[in-house]
Amino acid sequence: VVSAGEDVSAADAPTIVELSPDDVLRARTEAVAQAAVGRKADHLLEVRGLSTHFFTPDGVVQAVDDVSFDVGYGETLGLVGESGSGKSTLAKTMLGVHAADEGGAITLRGRAMAGTATSRIEESIRAIQMVFQNPDSALNRSWTVRRILKRSITKLTGLKGDAADQRAQEIAEAMRLSPRHLDMRPRQLSGGLKQRVAIARAFAGDPEVVVCDEPTSALDVSVQAAILNLLARLQRDVRTSYLFISHDI
């Protein structure tokens, strides 16, 4: 090879490597995986300037005022405040139960979410679920646990019949509920078991974010640790992110 009148055949030059089709596919796969890792560095959930107000006979009540925060992948964010400070209203606004004021924004994986649940796509509804403070008021007492879980499974995943029943059994097992519990009604269960059912319902559609609105405050002290350990294990197993609301540090 001659360059500028000199023989450079022996000079250092880039090495040319012939790649097989498998090598090319592997390289592309690794590039895609690295790009996905890069995207994972962003926050899973972002809330910016969220406000919620209500009109009452006594005037306007500002329940949530200009709240912003981020929740990372597999992360737990604690939200602590006294009773009546707007914690639960914030949670329900995130879920689209209450409409947020104009100017606020909620994004999931970088995609904006509609303000109300009725306007959201199914993926967004499935992605954020909630465990309420009092399982007695959150569960239909006349339905069996199986029916409660299957209804959520069908609405969130589209599974029906035997497939939904199989999914309900799998979720119940993950929550340390026995097969006999599936055919019982909430009124036949202890407080701790009812909250396990409520958690199972929240996880029916494999959510990415679960809002836990004081999930242990209505339980005996002896049961609280078991519920917290269950939530921690679920997060470890499936990398779910939590917004954990409490009035007790």
Side-chain angles (χ1 to χ4, degrees), residues 43-161:
H43 296 113
L44 172 61
L45 181 74
E46 296 182 359
V47 174
R48 293 290 179 269
L50 199 67
S51 299
T52 308
H53 73 272
F54 301 102
F55 294 101
T56 72
D58 297 324
V60 177
V61 175
Q62 191 72 48
V64 178
D65 187 15
D66 194 21
V67 174
S68 299
F69 60 85
D70 302 317
V71 181
Y73 290 86
E75 179 181 80
T76 298
L77 176 66
L79 179 63
V80 182
E82 62 184 357
S83 297
S85 62
K87 304 184 301 297
S88 295
T89 300
L90 171 62
K92 292 177 181 178
T93 302
M94 289 174 55
L95 268 73
V97 176
H98 300 317
D101 296 350
E102 291 186 8
I106 304 173
T107 60
L108 180 71
R109 286 182 273 102
R111 296 177 59 182
M113 300 179 66
T116 58
T118 54
S119 302
R120 291 180 181 177
I121 61 176
E122 291 182 3
E123 179 186 357
S124 296
I125 295 174
R126 184 172 61 248
I128 303 181
Q129 292 294 306
M130 187 167 180
V131 178
F132 293 91
Q133 178 176 355
N134 189 347
D136 280 320
S137 59
L139 301 174
N140 189 326
R141 288 185 244 178
S142 64
W143 286 12
T144 64
V145 172
R146 187 186 304 275
R147 185 178 178 186
I148 291 171
L149 296 183
K150 287 180 67 174
R151 180 178 184 273
S152 294
I153 290 167
T154 299
K155 288 179 68 69
L156 295 173
T157 69
L159 294 176
K160 298 179 180 179

Side-chain angles (χ1 to χ4, degrees), residues 210-232:
V210 174
V211 180
C212 301
D213 187 7
E214 304 203 44
T216 61
S217 62
L219 304 177
D220 294 337
V221 175
S222 60
V223 181
Q224 291 179 5
I227 295 299
L228 292 176
N229 287 336
L230 171 62
L231 290 169

